Amino acid sequence: MSVQVIHTAGVRSEPHASWVPMIAIALGQMIMSFNVASLPVALGGMVKSFGVPPTTIATGIVAYSMLVAGFVMLGAKLCQRYGATRVFRAAVVMFCLSQIVMTFSPSAAFMIFAQALCGAAGAVIVPSLVALIAENYKGRQQATAVGALGSARAAAGVLAFVIGGILGTYVGWRPVFGILIAASAIVFLLSFRLRPDEGREDVTIDGVGVVLAAAAIICISFGFNNLNGWGLAVATPNAPFSLFGLSPAPVLIVVGIVLGQVFLMWTHRRQAAGKTPLLALEVIDSPEERAAVYAMFSVVALEAALNFSVPLYIQIVQGRSPIATAVAMMPFNLTVFVTAMLIVKLYDKLTPRQIGRYGFTLCTVALLWLAFVVHNDWSEVPVLFGLILFGIGQGALVTLLFNVLVTASPKELAGDVGSLRGTTNNLAAAVGTAVAGALLVGLLSAIALGGIAASPKLTPELQAQVDLDNINFISNDRLRSALERTTATPEQVNEAVRVNTEARLRALKLGLLLMAMLSLVTIVPAGRLPNYRPGEIPADEPNEAKGR
């Protein structure tokens, strides 16, 4: 089966639709992206407010992504059954309620609940956005609208870092989410400019598919999120239970993967019986589409890992303000925003396969560069260059891969494409964030313990007074305060600070190197993307093939 990249035939004869509906669609994307991008910026403030470690705040990010990924397929079917416009409005109201809870959260538990509620709303908003674009725009306008959706996501990241940095430094982290209460109300009002659709009464909800998909994704996300706390292989004392001494975290991941395979088998069986599946398998029935999904998962996971690692290092390790985080990440976010908008202009010159390979090559080079040049100041020019290079690759890839999936399927499968995109993006974000947290803390613990054992100044008597089983990222000031409660001499305190400083930096460098390895490996599926330019195949061929 052929896969079309951009529909170009007959574009000039198509009427030009108003861009006003796109404002509501883009803002719908922006409020979701602004929420999740604000969490890393507010990391330091929430750690201080709730008195919890940074990995607990990361659980909020994972809770959001996990709920979106787990129920976005259900959201797509709700859009098809009741109409994308109507369902979109209801989800925006739920999103508004989640931000009210978020803004006034008295504890970390309420914060995580708010993000879970927000994820439930996002599970409906994500597929509705794609369906609304397919309903309101055609041809070249549709390709432009898809690019604008990617740009809206990037723009929200920029605004989250700027607004979150300023408010987080001078006012507090809560007003950052309070803004989303008003923003979601605006989106609700603008939604009445969208073209109404009545939905299809013949669409049924596959309850078994919903349970299987949600259980698979939640198991995978939950397992990755607890790798550090419960143990990578052997169960730690923090694990709720053990299976013959094994940690339940990797077991959950394996169970999730098995449930995912069961879901695909069930969906094939249901589709063969002529019933409505939870996910139309036509959207992933070609090698090119599956390659796009694998590549999208990788690039989003890398972005999530970097977006967690940088604020962690700046705010927790360096003890700097949220606005410092915003300044440090601004080149990256601006680059993603600009690249997501401009990459569409290269679609007539380069094939998706070429753009995919070049994009992952840039990401790999950028991460390798960062691993070797990063020190204790993210504002250094070499570090900024690496972030910009990664932003170019990331911005190009996200827009390209989304466009490959959207234009490869007919309009009636737009909701399924949206659910596939939402599942991939949010599962990748949850896994990327969780793995980054577990990886960095695990590396820190191993390196720190090695440094402590190698230092004659840090005697066994002093080590016995410190909890070395729960090493985490803390600033040097907090470490000094903790050591003041022990019998440590000034010389021992200075030695402990030195070990901590070196261990944190080496953990970050090794983490970036491992991210670079993932990016390098993903060049392989990127080589399976479509390898032709628009206009080289008949414009109607993909849709006819899909319809058969």
Side-chain angles (χ1 to χ4, degrees):
M1 185 199 70
S2 300
V3 181
Q4 185 180 9
V5 182
I6 300 176
H7 298 301
T8 57
V11 170
R12 293 180 181 175
S13 63
E14 294 176 353
H16 190 279
S18 169
W19 285 113
V20 173
M22 190 60 207
I23 297 175
I25 297 171
L27 285 177
Q29 174 67 67
M30 289 183 71
I31 58 175
M32 291 190 301
S33 299
F34 187 98
N35 166 74
V36 74
S38 296
L39 288 170
V41 184
L43 184 69
M46 286 193 281
V47 165
K48 185 176 181 180
S49 294
F50 300 140
V52 294
T55 47
T56 300
I57 306 304
T59 302
I61 303 175
V62 173
Y64 168 83
S65 300
M66 183 171 61
L67 266 292
V68 175
F71 294 98
V72 69
M73 295 181 194
L74 172 61
K77 291 307 170 190
L78 291 175
C79 290
Q80 293 175 2
R81 176 66 177 82
Y82 300 104
T85 304
R86 186 185 308 167
V87 173
F88 174 73
R89 288 196 194 108
V92 169
V93 172
M94 184 186 297
F95 181 90
C96 183
L97 293 175
S98 73
Q99 295 308 308
I100 293 174
V101 177
M102 184 71 190
T103 303
F104 300 101
S105 294
S107 65
F110 273 87
M111 179 275 294
I112 295 172
F113 168 75
Q115 287 303 312
L117 185 62
C118 185
V124 179
I125 294 176
V126 167
S128 69
L129 296 176
V130 185
L132 291 172
I133 286 179
E135 182 68 31
N136 287 270
Y137 301 102
K138 304 292 183 292
R140 174 67 68 174
Q141 271 195 291
Q142 185 182 96
T144 303
V146 169
L149 199 63
S151 298
R153 178 176 176 270
V158 173
L159 290 174
F161 275 89
V162 173
I163 296 173
I166 294 173
L167 290 179
T169 300
Y170 299 109
V171 181
W173 63 268
R174 296 181 188 274
V176 178
F177 298 93
I179 291 174
L180 289 175
I181 299 174
S184 53
I186 294 172
V187 175
F188 178 79
L189 294 175
L190 287 173
S191 68
F192 289 94
R193 298 298 301 273
L194 295 167
R195 182 180 297 174
D197 55 337
E198 298 301 323
R200 293 160 45 196
E201 294 185 358
D202 61 310
V203 174
T204 57
I205 306 299
D206 177 13
V208 175
V210 170
V211 172
L212 287 174
I217 290 168
I218 289 173
C219 283
I220 292 172
S221 302
F222 207 61
F224 274 109
N225 192 49
N226 288 282
L227 278 174
N228 183 63
W230 295 351
L232 185 63
V234 179
T236 67
N238 295 326
F241 60 91
S242 65
L243 298 172
F244 305 105
L246 294 176
S247 167
V251 175
L252 279 176
I253 295 172
V254 173
V255 170
I257 293 173
V258 171
L259 287 174
Q261 294 301 312
V262 173
F263 166 74
L264 291 176
M265 293 170 57
W266 168 261
T267 302
H268 275 290
R269 178 180 175 185
R270 186 175 176 86
Q271 194 161 297
K275 300 178 181 179
T276 304
L278 188 62
L279 176 70
L281 296 179
E282 291 90 336
V283 299
I284 51 172
D285 64 353
S286 74
E288 292 89 350
E289 288 166 316
R290 288 193 292 273
V293 171
Y294 298 147
M296 182 180 290
F297 183 94
S298 178
V299 73
V300 173
L302 287 171
E303 180 193 16
L306 192 68
N307 273 334
F308 176 75
S309 303
V310 175
L312 169 72
Y313 196 79
I314 293 175
Q315 294 188 51
I316 305 303
V317 174
Q318 297 180 331
R320 298 169 68 186
S321 65
I323 198 170
T325 305
V327 171
M329 290 298 290
M330 187 58 61
F332 168 71
N333 287 288
L334 283 174
T335 304
V336 172
F337 171 64
V338 173
T339 306
M341 291 181 62
L342 298 181
I343 192 63
V344 179
K345 297 183 181 297
L346 293 179
Y347 288 174
D348 292 329
K349 298 181 175 68
L350 298 173
T351 67
R353 184 175 298 177
Q354 289 173 317
I355 297 175
R357 283 174 170 169
Y358 296 156
F360 278 110
T361 299
L362 282 176
C363 289
T364 303
V365 172
L367 290 167
L368 285 171
W369 176 264
L370 286 172
F372 285 105
V373 304
V374 68
H375 295 293
N376 287 322
D377 186 0
W378 280 86
S379 63
E380 289 182 353
V381 174
V383 175
L384 295 180
F385 173 76
L387 290 174
I388 290 172
L389 198 62
F390 185 84
I392 294 173
Q394 200 272 341
L397 287 166
V398 169
T399 302
L400 167 76
L401 298 170
F402 184 25
N403 194 66
V404 168
L405 291 174
V406 170
T407 57
S409 300
K411 171 185 169 182
E412 57 267 22
L413 294 180
D416 293 279
V417 173
S419 67
L420 177 64
R421 176 213 180 205
T423 301
T424 304
N425 277 0
N426 288 280
L427 179 60
V431 171
T433 302
V435 169
L439 176 66
L440 291 178
V441 171
L443 288 171
L444 172 71
S445 180
I447 296 170
L449 289 174
I452 291 171
S455 175
K457 296 180 182 179
L458 302 177
T459 62
E461 292 76 18
L462 177 60
Q463 295 178 35
Q465 301 176 55
V466 181
D467 184 9
L468 296 179
D469 293 327
N470 292 293
I471 295 177
N472 214 315
F473 281 86
I474 59 173
S475 66
N476 287 338
D477 290 338
R478 285 190 60 188
L479 178 60
R480 291 181 186 275
S481 298
L483 291 175
E484 286 176 357
R485 296 190 291 270
T486 68
T487 60
T489 65
E491 185 180 19
Q492 288 177 318
V493 170
N494 291 334
E495 177 66 8
V497 168
R498 182 194 66 79
V499 170
N500 186 48
T501 303
E502 291 182 359
R504 292 178 315 200
L505 188 58
R506 287 181 60 193
L508 181 63
K509 285 177 174 288
L510 286 173
L512 290 168
L513 283 174
L514 291 173
M515 293 180 207
M517 289 176 58
L518 173 61
S519 180
L520 181 63
V521 169
T522 315
I523 294 177
V524 176
R528 301 293 301 276
L529 293 172
N531 195 34
Y532 49 75
R533 300 179 183 87
E536 292 184 356
I537 59 172
D540 294 332
E541 183 179 339
N543 286 357
E544 290 174 359
K546 289 276 187 184
R548 284 196 292 268

